[in-house]
Amino acid sequence: MINGDGPSSTYPALEIDDLWKIYGRNSQDIDIDDDELLAELTRSGEAVVAVKSVSLTVEAGEVFVVMGLSGSGKSTLIRCLLRLVEPTSGRIVIGGEEVTTLGEKELTRFRRRQAAMVFQHYGLLPHRTVLENVALGLKIKGMDRAERKEKAREALEKVGLDKWARYYPGSLSGGMRQRVGIARAIVMDSPLLLMDEPFSGLDPLIRREMQDELLRLQEELHRTIFFVTHDLDEAMRLGNKMAVMKNGEVVQQGTPEEILADPADAYVARFVDDKRRQVDLADRKKTAMVKTAEGKPEAKVSGKERSDHVS
Amino acid sequence: MFPEAWRFHIAPYVNEAVQWLLHSFAPTFDRMAASITSLLGAISRGLTFIPWWAYVLFIGLAAWRATRRWTSAIILGLMPLLIGLFGLWTLAVDTLAIIIASVLLALLLGIPVGVLMAEAKGTTKFITPLLDGMQTMPSFVYLIPAMMLFGLGKVPAVFATLIYAMPPVIRLTHLGLSQVPKPVQEAAKAYGATRWQLLREVRLPLAMPSIMAGINQTTMMALSMVVVSSMIGARGLGQEVLLSINRIDVGKGFESGLSIVIMAIVIDRITQGFARRFEPHRQN
């Protein structure tokens, strides 16, 4: 699983150390160690703590999934990694480079080389063709026309959209648009892929297809993937490691199996209970079908629950 | 009644300021006047070089491209013939030259100001009231300083028209840029776009429909200044209207007025057709 090229193999791919993001006036001046002050500010609505003392380590080649409900701070966290949102305090190290201290020029260079991001709302340019959209990052990087078209074409082939190169994003379905988003990210050859709820806007069948596609791509590419989702199934299917976030804090970290076996608190347990119920239902259904060979299988097991069952 | 004894005038200060400008920057204004004159000259020469039938052909073709309908192509193409039949062709070309010159300058100044407003949000606080003022101030008022700074004729006309017509393109450039969807901008930023790249690759192209609407508006405003600017001696259709008013010649006034309307319709249709090419690509 170790990523062979570059200095990234000697460091963890991504290290987050005591990261905070507080929204509000003069958030830079707030003393984050003062719990009472924070509680007071939050109560009065003067400040919102979006990310609260998060520390994580992601090894190269890992698929690390951050799961949490909306408002848990996961989207803010992933945006902090590229400094699309400026963290209030803490340290982020990606590929041995301390992101949090980079100047403007270095940050631009870092974004072009070290990490590529896929967005929930795709963020595609409506006035550019699919091919041009995939080549956007390369163009920004300053790669010449012929070379970037060539690379973009290869990336489109990888996601199975080579026939759609000349179309505009407006004529594509949601799943196809997100394939374009993924192609745009992998074409960058950055060691780290950031994915912010990339499949949340898609319907369940397409979502599943896209997850398989991502797993297949990952087998081929061996990138480090930092994946954010609100969907436990998705987290379990994709992640080698996962973290559960609630109210800006990481409440549990570990492998999906560890979390399923031993939820650390009531919040995690609630997710996991849901999950177990689904698994039980599916199991009961199976046994019922075996027992009553010609009888009807248990009713009320909808297609959705079946498709959500973890294999 | 308002107390007689309470009097305070800013008129003398305004006059003094204009005088001061005139004295201290006379060479600058002369140079500006010279460049506007040569710009106008070049445009005029170009426009008079084109034969009348080429206008008819060009307008017909442009209208067809914009609307894809033969009827509107033929009607729009034949409209300018009417101006020629009224005997106002040369004057219309003069007017067209003034409009093209002022609109060109208005875009050259206005679009960057609109971009500045969108990029440096603080500047809107100062520029918006200025734009409001520019648009509400009766357009006649611009004629006085324009005349003092640039004399009589076409140059002050271009100057006054420019000031009157510039606000829409500034406003709509600013509006278009601030309505660019955030996710698209965020994606470009995440891939390491600099501010300039973001503007050129994402913001300006996506703001284009709005900017084109601004260009159309600015052109229409410039046309509506035609009669006013003829008061300071700009030759053209406006002058005919003014003459007819002085002579109480309703028929003649109607002919020149109609010619201005024809120009407005033709220019509006053509610029709108052009603007439609920048609309985002259709869904499905």
Side-chain angles (χ1 to χ4, degrees):
Chain A
M1 290 285 252
I2 298 292
N3 191 343
D5 49 68
S8 52
S9 54
T10 53
Y11 307 90
L14 162 65
E15 221 178 339
I16 303 171
D17 183 25
D18 194 21
L19 193 77
W20 288 74
K21 174 64 195 178
I22 302 170
Y23 286 106
R25 255 177 298 166
N26 304 322
S27 60
Q28 299 293 334
D29 305 333
I30 297 172
D31 177 10
I32 55 172
D33 292 326
D34 190 341
D35 282 335
E36 264 173 58
L37 177 69
L38 275 183
E40 175 56 38
L41 285 174
T42 312
R43 229 191 339 269
S44 64
E46 271 181 75
V48 176
V49 182
V51 175
K52 191 172 180 185
S53 188
V54 168
S55 299
L56 295 171
T57 304
V58 181
E59 300 297 338
E62 228 169 43
V63 179
F64 192 102
V65 181
V66 173
M67 196 204 61
L69 294 178
S70 56
S72 63
K74 57 193 194 306
S75 274
T76 307
L77 175 67
I78 199 170
R79 275 171 177 70
C80 282
L81 301 184
L82 281 179
R83 289 198 20 215
L84 294 170
V85 167
E86 242 1 283
T88 308
S89 82
R91 229 166 59 101
I92 298 165
V93 182
I94 293 176
E97 203 164 359
E98 192 166 340
V99 183
T100 21
T101 57
L102 294 176
E104 201 180 326
K105 277 216 177 103
E106 297 151 323
L107 183 63
T108 300
R109 183 193 48 74
F110 166 81
R111 285 171 176 171
R112 289 176 184 179
R113 310 209 170 273
Q114 292 298 323
M117 189 155 168
V118 180
F119 296 87
Q120 181 183 359
H121 301 292
Y122 324 121
L124 301 177
L125 299 175
H127 62 292
R128 294 281 163 80
T129 63
V130 164
L131 188 74
E132 287 167 334
N133 263 291
V134 174
L136 174 74
L138 301 175
K139 187 177 187 186
I140 286 170
K141 233 185 200 179
M143 186 181 282
D144 66 69
R145 210 181 153 79
E147 201 183 344
R148 67 172 189 251
K149 288 220 156 166
E150 178 65 32
K151 292 202 74 173
R153 219 171 274 284
E154 278 170 33
L156 269 181
E157 244 165 71
K158 278 192 188 128
V159 298
L161 280 185
D162 35 331
K163 289 194 183 63
W164 294 82
R166 289 158 169 277
Y167 286 75
Y168 287 91
S171 49
L172 268 59
S173 70
M176 287 160 94
R177 282 185 214 185
Q178 197 55 291
R179 279 171 203 263
V180 178
I182 292 172
R184 179 174 69 179
I186 61 176
V187 79
M188 298 300 286
D189 287 327
S190 314
L192 181 63
L193 270 183
L194 303 174
M195 308 189 91
D196 179 28
E197 302 212 33
F199 309 141
S200 296
L202 308 175
D203 64 65
L205 280 177
I206 306 283
R207 195 185 308 163
R208 196 140 169 109
E209 203 178 284
M210 295 294 286
Q211 290 163 359
D212 292 337
E213 178 102 12
L214 182 66
L215 287 170
R216 188 183 61 69
L217 273 171
Q218 171 63 356
E219 236 160 68
E220 189 182 321
L221 300 169
H222 295 300
R223 305 281 172 83
T224 309
I225 300 179
F226 189 85
F227 194 106
V228 162
T229 181
H230 65 252
D231 179 357
L232 182 67
D233 287 313
E234 188 165 76
M236 300 246 162
R237 274 174 62 93
L238 299 176
N240 308 123
K241 284 265 190 65
M242 59 180 287
V244 183
M245 272 184 92
K246 182 197 175 188
N247 296 337
E249 276 178 291
V250 170
V251 289
Q252 190 174 10
Q253 277 193 69
T255 64
E257 294 76 23
E258 282 167 8
I259 287 176
L260 195 59
D262 181 24
D265 69 1
Y267 179 75
V268 183
R270 241 183 49 219
F271 275 104
V272 171
D273 272 355
D274 251 20
K275 181 90 221 156
R276 286 213 183 109
R277 244 201 321 278
Q278 287 166 20
V279 175
D280 286 351
L281 263 174
D283 283 349
R284 244 188 294 155
K285 190 191 132 197
K286 260 187 222 155
T287 42
M289 280 177 55
V290 172
K291 275 181 188 164
T292 60
E294 47 201 51
K296 283 176 196 161
E298 224 168 287
K300 294 273 158 86
V301 180
S302 71
K304 176 166 185 348
E305 280 164 325
R306 230 177 299 133
S307 76
D308 283 352
H309 168 48
V310 182
S311 44
Chain B
M1 289 292 275
F2 198 77
E4 282 286 333
W6 293 5
R7 282 289 178 271
F8 173 73
H9 288 289
I10 55 168
Y13 302 105
V14 174
N15 287 337
E16 247 171 68
V18 173
Q19 282 300 330
W20 175 78
L21 271 177
L22 214 51
H23 281 297
S24 347
F25 296 101
T28 319
F29 287 118
D30 285 348
R31 241 175 292 141
M32 276 168 70
S35 16
I36 293 177
T37 310
S38 59
L39 176 70
L40 264 172
I43 293 170
S44 262
R45 269 195 303 283
L47 289 177
T48 37
F49 179 76
I50 302 169
W52 65 270
W53 48 266
Y55 281 98
V56 174
L57 224 64
F58 169 76
I59 292 166
L61 250 141
W64 188 76
R65 286 199 62 170
T67 59
R68 300 273 159 194
R69 269 201 306 254
W70 284 109
T71 41
S72 50
I74 291 168
I75 291 170
L76 278 176
L78 292 183
M79 274 181 151
L81 281 183
L82 213 53
I83 302 180
L85 292 175
F86 291 156
L88 299 171
W89 189 271
T90 330
L91 293 177
V93 171
D94 278 334
T95 297
L96 190 61
I98 294 177
I99 288 165
I100 291 179
S102 359
V103 169
L104 267 180
L105 291 172
L107 301 186
L108 227 58
L109 295 170
I111 292 176
V113 173
V115 171
L116 176 78
M117 283 172 80
E119 288 289 302
K121 298 239 161 31
T123 55
T124 39
K125 267 192 291 238
F126 307 102
I127 298 175
T128 310
L130 200 68
L131 293 180
D132 293 338
M134 279 163 80
Q135 278 185 304
T136 19
M137 182 75 82
S139 45
F140 290 89
V141 179
Y142 294 129
L143 296 180
I144 308 161
M147 201 170 62
M148 288 187 77
L149 299 176
F150 297 109
L152 289 172
K154 284 178 180 174
V155 175
V158 167
F159 180 77
T161 308
L162 162 72
I163 292 179
Y164 181 70
M166 200 164 41
V169 78
I170 297 179
R171 276 187 215 277
L172 282 157
T173 302
H174 173 219
L175 180 77
L177 286 173
S178 30
Q179 281 177 341
V180 174
K182 289 284 175 286
V184 189
Q185 297 191 50
E186 194 181 38
K189 258 190 235 165
Y191 282 90
T194 58
R195 217 168 162 178
W196 170 243
Q197 283 176 324
L198 188 66
L199 192 66
R200 217 191 48 188
E201 300 288 330
V202 180
R203 286 161 64 80
L204 277 176
L206 290 185
M208 226 32 213
S210 176
I211 295 175
M212 289 306 297
I215 293 175
N216 176 279
Q217 293 269 302
T218 286
T219 316
M220 291 299 112
M221 299 272 286
L223 255 170
S224 69
M225 267 298 272
V226 164
V227 178
V228 175
S229 63
S230 69
M231 295 177 76
I232 45 173
R235 235 170 67 93
L237 290 176
Q239 203 182 29
E240 284 301 296
V241 176
L242 212 62
L243 276 173
S244 323
I245 295 172
N246 288 339
R247 294 180 193 151
I248 323 184
D249 184 344
V250 184
K252 190 84 193 147
F254 185 69
E255 278 186 357
S256 0
L258 192 62
S259 302
I260 295 175
V261 171
I262 288 172
M263 284 180 73
I265 292 173
V266 169
I267 295 174
D268 180 58
R269 287 297 174 274
I270 291 176
T271 51
Q272 268 191 16
F274 196 62
R276 218 164 290 138
R277 303 174 69 186
F278 286 95
E279 294 283 306
H281 293 270
R282 277 167 226 89
Q283 308 280 312
N284 81 58

